[in-house]
Amino acid sequence: MNPTALIAVPLLPLLAAVIAGLGGRLIGRAGAHTVTCAAVGISCAVSLMVLKQIYWDGVPAYEAPVYSWLVSDGMHMEVGFLIDRLTALMMAVVTFVSLCVHVYTIGYMSDDPGYTRFFSYISLFTFSMLMLVMANNFMQLFFGWEAVGLVSYLLIGFWYTRPSAIFANLKAFIVNRIGDFGFVLGIAGIAYFTHSLAYRDAFAAAPQIAHALVPLSSTAGVGALTLICICLFIGAMGKSAQVPLHVWLPDSMEGPTPISALIHAATMVTAGIFMVARMSPLFEYSDAALSFVLVIGATTAFFMGLLGVVNNDIKRVIAYSTLSQLGYMTVALGVSAYSAAIFHLMTHAFFKALLFLAAGSVIIALHHEQDMRRMGGLAKYMPVTAVTCWIGALALIGTPFFSGFYSKDAIIEAVGESHRWGATYAYWCVLCGVFVTALYTFRMLFLTFHGPERFRAAAGAHAAHDDDHGHGGTPHESPAVVTLPLIALAIPSVLIGAFTVGPVLFGDYFGRSIFVLAGNNVVGTLGADFGGPVQFALHGLAAPPFWFALTGAVTAWACFLWRPTWADAAVRTFGWLYRVLTHKYYFDWFNEQVLAVLTRLIGVGLWKGGDEALIDGAMVNGSAATVGWVGGLLRRVQSGYLYSYAFWMMIGLAVLLAWFLAQARY
């Protein structure tokens, strides 16, 4: 494996980002998208070559430092690469989806004044994610972790003249800082027990750390490895938007659609899932930490999916779908089915990017309208977008023979096989989540592409504007620069699951990249009955998840296409539930009206009481006033007049005489 080629994979997008960002005015729009697309395209080609070498050619894993940044008390802080089968798969997914998004952006952002800046940002995003997945130590992992957070802040607030975009990017930044505080504590725990930041040293020391205790009191303590793993997972809760640190992800839709696809499909939100899978040698020695992961993931998978049912913004529906699917991946991690989590991460990257880009195509056609209640009947005007969106939707709900089926059903069956604490709760959450997923997905399809054409009345002004300019008010299919990425993503959304389920999920693809204790190997138990992708899909036709999905699809058809009045009647009947869902379980209200208010009160208290009263008042101004008061007294004594000195001498003698008399009496 050529080290120079490996270094080029992340550095090419970084170089392209610098050129497009700093030299955008010189190279122009065409130059910006050419250099960034070419850089990511080369990175994608090299990543696919690395995947071929690692898997098909049997080249051993590569691990080596690039350079040492700092050596402190024997602890090396360095940039280094670990290229094994897990890394190679992530590199291929990240670069391929990023390339599709880059090409799609040429059409979607064609009229935006920040065109070159946007290409610089998304190329920088790709660099950040590649540095994260290629790291062989915690310092570089943390660098990539924070870098994707920084660039997501820039991209969510890309349209910085919109107050809603600024609020959304601040929200994402602050919530992720909460998660990152836990992440830093976890890394600090690793450094404390191993005196190293290298993965290799941390994984080797895991059995010993598992026996260590962190004292909470004189009589009680908690397992050191459990505490470390939970802290690391809190970081993943922020990045991968798990309850209760999920609140930033739906608001990230304020950014342009291409970045929604990049954040939700292959970069930022999958970082937490990848991190836990990479840390499997640590998590495997803590059942308590894995149970915590399991319950959090199950709660996210079901309850966040419900929010997609009541939302009317097409991008936010897909965003809540991302939250739910990330919950499925987290559930898989919690039952030690790390390979199933990464497998679902891979398949989800393709069909979720497809759904976001298809939604963007619709938004372009309807002059940036995002409310599904103002759409309808678009299938005959936008056939390519409609067909590709249907493909992504069928993959999302887990239709047999589509890619999402193989990964999602494997997760559900793995949870059913697990005996870990919380597995029963998780099983019913992910099973009922299948119904919810089908319900909101088909609701989106029916309201957008089928039924009556509601967009004409809703967008009459836009249509008139188009007629004045000779374009016509009827929606039409997006240009090839938009539809070609849709087709490129639709193909793996159908095929990649069947082609890879055997080697990636039930084979020995990951090898030593993922560590699972023999008693936790639920995927191995499922693999014993695996008879190939066709047999697996045929078995799925009779399994409960398929019937739950079918019921959800039929319910969506009945309530939103056949008898829309039924949906209105359900809202009236279950008004309390509808209010809870539309208010997003009141998480935002609690954060803004309780936590934010308390934080401001604490801040004001520290400002008024600590800064003004104590520091400025008592310590600074108070000490100055005390010195002035003492100086005033001394001025009265040191007046310069002889009679004054004689008077104070007499007073002094009288005091001394009184003291001597008092001493003589005793």
Side-chain angles (χ1 to χ4, degrees):
M1 202 174 297
N2 190 338
T4 304
L6 294 177
I7 294 173
V9 172
L11 287 188
L12 282 175
L14 174 63
L15 180 62
V18 172
I19 294 173
L22 300 181
R25 293 186 178 181
L26 297 176
I27 62 177
R29 289 175 169 242
H33 70 236
T34 299
V35 69
T36 52
C37 289
V40 175
I42 295 171
S43 293
C44 181
V46 175
S47 298
L48 293 173
M49 180 187 71
V50 169
L51 181 62
K52 171 185 175 295
Q53 291 177 342
I54 285 280
Y55 182 62
W56 281 279
D57 299 344
V59 174
Y62 173 88
E63 181 178 6
V66 176
Y67 73 92
S68 291
W69 175 62
L70 177 67
V71 179
S72 176
D73 196 23
M75 184 179 296
H76 290 256
M77 299 182 185
E78 59 189 21
V79 174
F81 292 152
L82 169 60
I83 312 298
D84 57 8
R85 294 186 173 190
L86 174 59
T87 305
L89 180 64
M90 289 297 298
M91 289 167 61
V93 171
V94 168
T95 53
F96 178 78
V97 174
S98 179
L99 178 60
C100 290
V101 170
H102 274 70
V103 174
Y104 176 93
T105 301
I106 298 173
Y108 190 89
M109 301 291 288
S110 58
D111 297 327
D112 196 282
Y115 188 85
T116 58
R117 178 166 58 95
F118 189 80
F119 272 97
S120 175
Y121 286 171
I122 59 175
S123 191
L124 186 62
F125 209 163
T126 306
F127 157 76
S128 303
M129 189 64 185
L130 287 169
M131 288 295 286
L132 189 155
V133 301
M134 296 172 70
N136 73 341
N137 62 85
F138 285 95
M139 191 206 76
Q140 185 177 330
L141 173 70
F142 187 70
F143 166 78
W145 193 269
E146 292 302 304
V148 294
L150 170 63
V151 185
S152 69
Y153 168 83
L154 297 173
L155 284 164
I156 294 169
F158 180 78
W159 288 318
Y160 54 84
T161 56
R162 300 180 181 180
S164 58
I166 298 302
F167 177 81
N169 72 353
L170 284 173
K171 188 175 183 179
F173 194 81
I174 292 170
V175 172
N176 274 277
R177 295 294 69 72
I178 296 171
D180 291 352
F181 179 68
F183 192 56
V184 169
L185 291 179
I187 294 175
I190 292 292
Y192 175 80
F193 282 100
T194 65
H195 305 287
S196 173
L197 291 175
Y199 291 165
R200 182 193 299 271
D201 297 332
F203 298 162
Q208 288 74 41
I209 303 174
H211 292 96
L213 287 177
V214 175
L216 298 179
S217 67
S218 59
T219 59
V222 63
L225 193 60
T226 295
L227 188 60
I228 288 171
C229 289
I230 289 177
C231 285
L232 291 174
F233 180 67
I234 289 172
M237 287 169 63
K239 277 289 181 290
S240 294
Q242 298 297 290
V243 172
L245 301 182
H246 67 283
V247 292
W248 68 271
L249 193 60
D251 288 348
S252 69
M253 297 300 98
E254 291 295 333
T257 298
I259 195 52
S260 300
L262 199 55
I263 287 177
H264 287 242
T267 53
M268 183 171 174
V269 297
T270 60
I273 306 300
F274 165 79
M275 185 272 293
V276 176
R278 173 61 80 198
M279 300 301 146
S280 58
L282 301 178
F283 279 84
E284 276 300 284
Y285 289 99
S286 176
D287 278 343
L290 287 173
S291 292
F292 179 75
V293 172
L294 177 61
V295 171
I296 292 292
T299 303
T300 305
F302 178 69
F303 290 97
M304 293 301 105
L306 287 173
L307 299 183
V309 178
V310 300
N311 212 288
N312 296 309
D313 185 311
I314 187 171
K315 285 174 62 177
R316 287 180 183 263
V317 171
I318 304 174
Y320 283 116
S321 168
T322 300
L323 280 173
S324 180
Q325 297 308 304
L326 288 168
Y328 276 87
M329 299 175 208
T330 305
V331 164
L333 298 171
V335 295
S336 298
Y338 305 99
S339 58
I342 297 298
F343 185 47
H344 193 50
L345 185 157
M346 177 189 68
T347 61
H348 174 265
F350 295 111
F351 61 73
K352 186 52 59 68
L354 172 60
L355 287 171
F356 268 114
L357 298 188
S361 179
V362 170
I363 292 169
I364 293 172
L366 296 182
H367 311 281
H368 294 277
E369 177 61 66
Q370 296 182 197
D371 193 327
M372 296 184 298
R373 294 170 297 182
R374 300 176 182 176
M375 299 180 185
L378 292 174
K380 64 181 178 181
Y381 303 108
M382 308 179 70
V384 176
T385 300
V387 170
T388 53
C389 191
W390 263 89
I391 290 172
L394 291 173
L396 170 62
I397 68 169
T399 307
F401 297 102
F402 285 75
S403 63
F405 160 78
Y406 294 98
S407 54
K408 183 183 282 189
D409 263 41
I411 291 173
I412 296 172
E413 292 192 23
V415 177
E417 287 287 332
S418 176
H419 300 290
R420 180 160 286 132
W421 185 89
T424 302
Y425 167 75
Y427 179 76
W428 285 105
C429 280
V430 294
L431 187 59
C432 294
V434 174
F435 169 83
V436 174
T437 301
L439 180 59
Y440 66 67
T441 302
F442 275 87
R443 173 178 178 262
M444 177 190 70
L445 289 174
F446 293 144
L447 290 180
T448 304
F449 295 106
H450 305 284
E453 298 178 359
R454 298 177 299 277
F455 59 84
R456 295 189 185 278
H462 289 302
H465 174 79
D466 283 348
D467 287 336
D468 291 342
H469 290 79
H471 300 303
T474 301
H476 53 81
E477 188 59 85
S478 298
V481 74
V482 172
T483 55
L484 286 178
L486 294 180
I487 296 170
L489 289 166
I491 294 171
S493 296
V494 178
L495 300 176
I496 200 164
F499 278 97
T500 59
V501 63
V504 173
L505 186 58
F506 296 119
D508 191 34
Y509 169 79
F510 288 106
R512 296 182 180 180
S513 302
I514 289 175
F515 173 76
V516 183
L517 293 173
N520 297 338
N521 193 10
V522 291
V523 174
T525 303
L526 297 177
D529 299 325
F530 180 68
V534 174
Q535 184 268 342
F536 190 77
L538 292 175
H539 169 74
L541 290 171
F546 172 73
W547 295 102
F548 272 69
L550 185 61
T551 304
V554 172
T555 303
W557 171 79
C559 293
F560 301 105
L561 201 60
W562 184 48
R563 291 286 188 273
T565 53
W566 289 2
D568 298 331
V571 170
R572 290 192 297 270
T573 304
F574 302 100
W576 63 272
L577 178 59
Y578 182 76
R579 286 191 296 274
V580 169
L581 295 178
T582 53
H583 286 87
K584 297 173 282 189
Y585 304 114
Y586 296 95
F587 275 105
D588 284 339
W589 176 87
F590 180 78
N591 291 336
E592 294 168 18
Q593 303 301 321
V594 178
L595 290 183
V597 170
L598 286 175
T599 303
R600 284 194 292 270
L601 286 175
I602 293 171
V604 170
L606 292 173
W607 166 35
K608 294 291 187 182
D611 190 24
E612 290 190 347
L614 180 61
I615 298 175
D616 286 346
M619 297 175 66
V620 177
N621 297 332
S623 61
T626 301
V627 170
W629 179 75
V630 173
L633 291 178
L634 292 176
R635 280 198 304 274
R636 293 181 180 274
V637 176
Q638 300 292 333
S639 63
Y641 294 107
L642 184 61
Y643 65 82
S644 177
Y645 294 152
F647 172 76
W648 287 110
M649 287 172 65
M650 292 173 63
I651 294 294
L653 288 172
V655 171
L656 285 173
L657 181 61
W659 183 79
F660 281 123
L661 290 174
Q663 293 296 320
R665 182 177 299 175
Y666 292 105

